[in-house]
Amino acid sequence: MGWLSLRSKLHGPTSFEPVVEQVINFKSASERVEHVEHIEHISSPPCEYPLQDPSVPDDALPFISPEIVQGQRLRLSQVQCLDWIVVDNIVYDCTEFIKEHPGGDTVIRSFIGEDCSWQFWRFHSKAIMEKWGRPLRVGRTKGIVNRCKEPPRYFGLKSR
């Protein structure tokens, strides 16, 4: 008889802790699954900053103070946290998109309530931003600084 225990190891605060245990017996097929409690991350948050129409220009978006944006990071351990990130002073609500992000949710969660402009542009093109980012805009802000210094980009060898 063998035991197999699968556990989700997500970094940082999580809204659920799945525990699945399965008994594997090669002589008789038996299975034991424990109850998994899952608290869904807020899906349609009642918010005074709803998603904006993609046709609205960036400068016409509502202004959201830096304190409100950064406040989402302070609420990370609560169910009502909104997954807001900032790219080039535009606030994006990734609360629903985080489930579909091809790079996983960890990268977005690590920048909730913060600026991630240079990190974003290292992996995404303007076309991707237009297609996927534009519908996620909730507002604009000013004064949120990226906590990570952008490393220099080197092209080719440096001559001496």
Side-chain angles (χ1 to χ4, degrees):
M1 176 189 277
W3 286 85
L4 175 64
S5 177
L6 305 172
R7 294 185 190 266
S8 175
K9 294 185 179 186
L10 301 175
H11 300 288
T14 60
S15 59
F16 65 94
E17 294 182 43
V19 176
V20 179
E21 291 186 7
Q22 180 180 15
V23 178
I24 302 173
N25 185 345
F26 294 104
K27 292 184 180 178
S28 65
S30 64
E31 184 175 305
R32 180 177 139 227
V33 179
E34 292 193 13
H35 174 71
V36 177
E37 186 176 338
H38 178 78
I39 300 170
E40 190 65 37
H41 202 67
I42 194 163
S43 57
S44 297
C47 182
E48 62 185 276
Y49 299 103
L51 297 175
Q52 299 295 313
D53 187 279
S55 64
V56 174
D58 288 347
D59 57 353
L61 293 171
F63 183 80
I64 305 173
S65 73
E67 293 78 25
I68 293 174
V69 176
Q70 293 168 330
Q72 297 309 315
R73 183 145 200 89
L74 301 173
R75 298 170 60 186
L76 258 171
S77 62
Q78 300 175 3
V79 176
Q80 293 137 347
C81 169
L82 297 171
D83 297 334
W84 284 0
I85 61 169
V86 177
V87 176
D88 297 334
N89 291 325
I90 302 297
V91 182
Y92 296 89
D93 185 349
C94 298
T95 306
E96 288 297 316
F97 175 73
I98 202 166
K99 300 170 192 169
E100 301 172 26
H101 186 249
D105 65 346
T106 304
V107 68
I108 294 175
R109 288 195 196 283
S110 65
F111 285 103
I112 290 176
E114 296 182 356
D115 179 83
C116 60
S117 298
W118 71 261
Q119 292 93 337
F120 179 87
W121 292 117
R122 290 269 172 114
F123 294 96
H124 304 88
S125 66
K126 187 173 180 169
I128 289 174
M129 177 58 95
E130 288 294 318
K131 180 178 180 180
W132 297 99
R134 201 153 179 84
L136 301 177
R137 298 173 312 148
V138 291
R140 59 188 168 81
T141 192
K142 190 169 179 114
I144 298 179
V145 182
N146 195 312
R147 66 180 147 91
C148 305
K149 183 179 177 186
E150 182 175 10
R153 294 187 191 193
Y154 296 103
F155 297 98
L157 296 174
K158 186 177 179 182
S159 62
R160 294 183 188 230

